[in-house]
Amino acid sequence: MLALILELYRVEHRAIDAAVVGTEQHGQMRREQARPVMAKLLRTLRAQRGLHLPKSPFGMAVSHALRNWRALTLYLRHPEVPIDNNASERALRVVTLGRKNFLFVGYLESGENLAIGGSTRRRSAA
């Protein structure tokens, strides 16, 4: 399955190299090159469905992919839709990391520690 997913990303990289991302030509590349790969991926998922316990990590991943198949293939119908949402995930990561990193700011010592790189030692006035 990973090899199939890799092939889908290769189609996207070919579109980037050809400078056609988001155009009708990109859509045509996806229909001609990615759609058959997605069809094979769907067949593989369906074949794997009965081979794994439903609550196992792999069984849950297969079920999730099959339940969301229409959403997973939306990008095949719309060339302006990216293959993944990595850009959104990266943007949200900043918020999550900030929330964790600044949890204790508001306490003077914690804020100072964060500002000087996490050191808990106070600098002595020499």
Side-chain angles (χ1 to χ4, degrees):
M1 279 197 254
L2 289 177
L4 294 173
I5 293 168
L6 178 62
E7 184 54 38
L8 296 172
Y9 277 90
R10 285 185 176 138
V11 173
E12 296 304 299
H13 285 283
R14 286 192 286 271
I16 291 168
D17 291 344
V20 297
V21 173
T23 67
E24 180 50 39
Q25 187 177 352
H26 188 193
Q28 184 176 348
M29 288 175 73
R30 284 178 172 177
R31 286 188 295 277
E32 292 173 359
Q33 298 172 31
R35 191 179 303 258
V37 176
M38 289 297 282
K40 187 172 183 178
L41 183 60
L42 179 60
R43 288 190 302 273
T44 303
L45 287 166
R46 286 179 173 158
Q48 291 293 316
R49 182 176 28 198
L51 302 177
H52 303 277
L53 294 172
K55 298 287 184 179
S56 71
F58 196 81
M60 289 171 38
V62 168
S63 294
H64 178 75
L66 290 171
R67 265 193 323 273
N68 293 290
W69 190 253
R70 182 151 174 82
L72 289 171
T73 58
L74 178 74
Y75 90 103
L76 294 174
R77 298 183 296 279
H78 301 282
E80 67 280 2
V81 173
I83 189 171
D84 57 38
N85 67 345
N86 286 342
S88 299
E89 294 287 338
R90 277 190 304 276
L92 288 173
R93 186 172 297 124
V94 172
V95 174
T96 303
L97 288 175
R99 187 178 326 133
K100 179 184 170 199
N101 290 339
F102 303 115
L103 180 64
F104 295 106
V105 172
Y107 297 97
L108 183 60
E109 189 174 337
S110 296
E112 288 174 359
N113 289 339
L114 182 63
I116 60 173
S119 172
T120 57
R121 283 186 258 146
R122 293 197 176 224
R123 297 183 182 188
S124 62

